[in-house]
PDB file of all heavy atoms in Angstrom:
ATOM      1  N   ALA A 512     -15.099  34.788  -1.156  1.00  0.00           N
ATOM      2  CA  ALA A 512     -13.884  34.002  -1.392  1.00  0.00           C
ATOM      3  C   ALA A 512     -12.749  34.944  -1.753  1.00  0.00           C
ATOM      4  O   ALA A 512     -12.970  36.056  -2.242  1.00  0.00           O
ATOM      5  CB  ALA A 512     -14.092  32.983  -2.511  1.00  0.00           C
ATOM      6  N   ARG A 513     -11.534  34.499  -1.510  1.00  0.00           N
ATOM      7  CA  ARG A 513     -10.380  35.196  -2.033  1.00  0.00           C
ATOM      8  C   ARG A 513     -10.315  34.917  -3.537  1.00  0.00           C
ATOM      9  O   ARG A 513     -10.570  33.782  -3.974  1.00  0.00           O
ATOM     10  CB  ARG A 513      -9.097  34.687  -1.377  1.00  0.00           C
ATOM     11  CG  ARG A 513      -8.983  35.003   0.092  1.00  0.00           C
ATOM     12  CD  ARG A 513      -8.732  36.460   0.344  1.00  0.00           C
ATOM     13  NE  ARG A 513      -8.342  36.717   1.728  1.00  0.00           N
ATOM     14  CZ  ARG A 513      -8.451  37.883   2.309  1.00  0.00           C
ATOM     15  NH1 ARG A 513      -8.932  38.918   1.630  1.00  0.00           N
ATOM     16  NH2 ARG A 513      -8.075  38.047   3.573  1.00  0.00           N
ATOM     17  N   PRO A 514      -9.999  35.919  -4.351  1.00  0.00           N
ATOM     18  CA  PRO A 514      -9.935  35.671  -5.802  1.00  0.00           C
ATOM     19  C   PRO A 514      -9.017  34.520  -6.188  1.00  0.00           C
ATOM     20  O   PRO A 514      -9.338  33.737  -7.080  1.00  0.00           O
ATOM     21  CB  PRO A 514      -9.426  37.007  -6.352  1.00  0.00           C
ATOM     22  CG  PRO A 514      -9.908  38.030  -5.368  1.00  0.00           C
ATOM     23  CD  PRO A 514      -9.806  37.346  -4.028  1.00  0.00           C
ATOM     24  N   HIS A 515      -7.880  34.384  -5.487  1.00  0.00           N
ATOM     25  CA  HIS A 515      -6.974  33.310  -5.857  1.00  0.00           C
ATOM     26  C   HIS A 515      -7.539  31.935  -5.507  1.00  0.00           C
ATOM     27  O   HIS A 515      -7.169  30.934  -6.126  1.00  0.00           O
ATOM     28  CB  HIS A 515      -5.591  33.494  -5.215  1.00  0.00           C
ATOM     29  CG  HIS A 515      -5.588  33.391  -3.715  1.00  0.00           C
ATOM     30  ND1 HIS A 515      -5.774  34.473  -2.893  1.00  0.00           N
ATOM     31  CD2 HIS A 515      -5.417  32.318  -2.900  1.00  0.00           C
ATOM     32  CE1 HIS A 515      -5.712  34.077  -1.631  1.00  0.00           C
ATOM     33  NE2 HIS A 515      -5.501  32.784  -1.604  1.00  0.00           N
ATOM     34  N   ALA A 516      -8.448  31.855  -4.521  1.00  0.00           N
ATOM     35  CA  ALA A 516      -9.053  30.564  -4.189  1.00  0.00           C
ATOM     36  C   ALA A 516      -9.935  30.067  -5.331  1.00  0.00           C
ATOM     37  O   ALA A 516      -9.986  28.870  -5.626  1.00  0.00           O
ATOM     38  CB  ALA A 516      -9.870  30.680  -2.898  1.00  0.00           C
ATOM     39  N   LEU A 517     -10.637  31.007  -5.996  1.00  0.00           N
ATOM     40  CA  LEU A 517     -11.523  30.614  -7.088  1.00  0.00           C
ATOM     41  C   LEU A 517     -10.754  30.167  -8.325  1.00  0.00           C
ATOM     42  O   LEU A 517     -11.341  29.648  -9.272  1.00  0.00           O
ATOM     43  CB  LEU A 517     -12.448  31.772  -7.449  1.00  0.00           C
ATOM     44  CG  LEU A 517     -13.482  32.146  -6.379  1.00  0.00           C
ATOM     45  CD1 LEU A 517     -14.303  33.332  -6.827  1.00  0.00           C
ATOM     46  CD2 LEU A 517     -14.382  30.962  -6.062  1.00  0.00           C
ATOM     47  N   ALA A 518      -9.433  30.411  -8.340  1.00  0.00           N
ATOM     48  CA  ALA A 518      -8.626  29.926  -9.456  1.00  0.00           C
ATOM     49  C   ALA A 518      -8.496  28.405  -9.424  1.00  0.00           C
ATOM     50  O   ALA A 518      -8.183  27.788 -10.453  1.00  0.00           O
ATOM     51  CB  ALA A 518      -7.241  30.568  -9.422  1.00  0.00           C
ATOM     52  N   ARG A 519      -8.742  27.797  -8.272  1.00  0.00           N
ATOM     53  CA  ARG A 519      -8.700  26.342  -8.172  1.00  0.00           C
ATOM     54  C   ARG A 519      -9.957  25.745  -8.793  1.00  0.00           C
ATOM     55  O   ARG A 519     -11.074  26.178  -8.496  1.00  0.00           O
ATOM     56  CB  ARG A 519      -8.588  25.903  -6.710  1.00  0.00           C
ATOM     57  CG  ARG A 519      -7.285  26.300  -6.037  1.00  0.00           C
ATOM     58  CD  ARG A 519      -7.295  25.862  -4.592  1.00  0.00           C
ATOM     59  NE  ARG A 519      -7.621  24.449  -4.468  1.00  0.00           N
ATOM     60  CZ  ARG A 519      -8.166  23.900  -3.376  1.00  0.00           C
ATOM     61  NH1 ARG A 519      -8.435  24.653  -2.326  1.00  0.00           N
ATOM     62  NH2 ARG A 519      -8.424  22.616  -3.342  1.00  0.00           N
ATOM     63  N   VAL A 520      -9.780  24.771  -9.654  1.00  0.00           N
ATOM     64  CA  VAL A 520     -10.911  24.164 -10.351  1.00  0.00           C
ATOM     65  C   VAL A 520     -11.904  23.566  -9.361  1.00  0.00           C
ATOM     66  O   VAL A 520     -13.124  23.698  -9.518  1.00  0.00           O
ATOM     67  CB  VAL A 520     -10.399  23.088 -11.342  1.00  0.00           C
ATOM     68  CG1 VAL A 520     -11.571  22.327 -11.947  1.00  0.00           C
ATOM     69  CG2 VAL A 520      -9.563  23.727 -12.436  1.00  0.00           C
ATOM     70  N   ALA A 521     -11.402  22.911  -8.318  1.00  0.00           N
ATOM     71  CA  ALA A 521     -12.304  22.272  -7.349  1.00  0.00           C
ATOM     72  C   ALA A 521     -13.156  23.298  -6.614  1.00  0.00           C
ATOM     73  O   ALA A 521     -14.336  23.067  -6.349  1.00  0.00           O
ATOM     74  CB  ALA A 521     -11.490  21.447  -6.355  1.00  0.00           C
TER      75      ALA A 521
END
Side-chain angles (χ1 to χ4, degrees):
R513 293 289 192 201
H515 65 270
L517 292 178
R519 294 178 53 205
V520 173

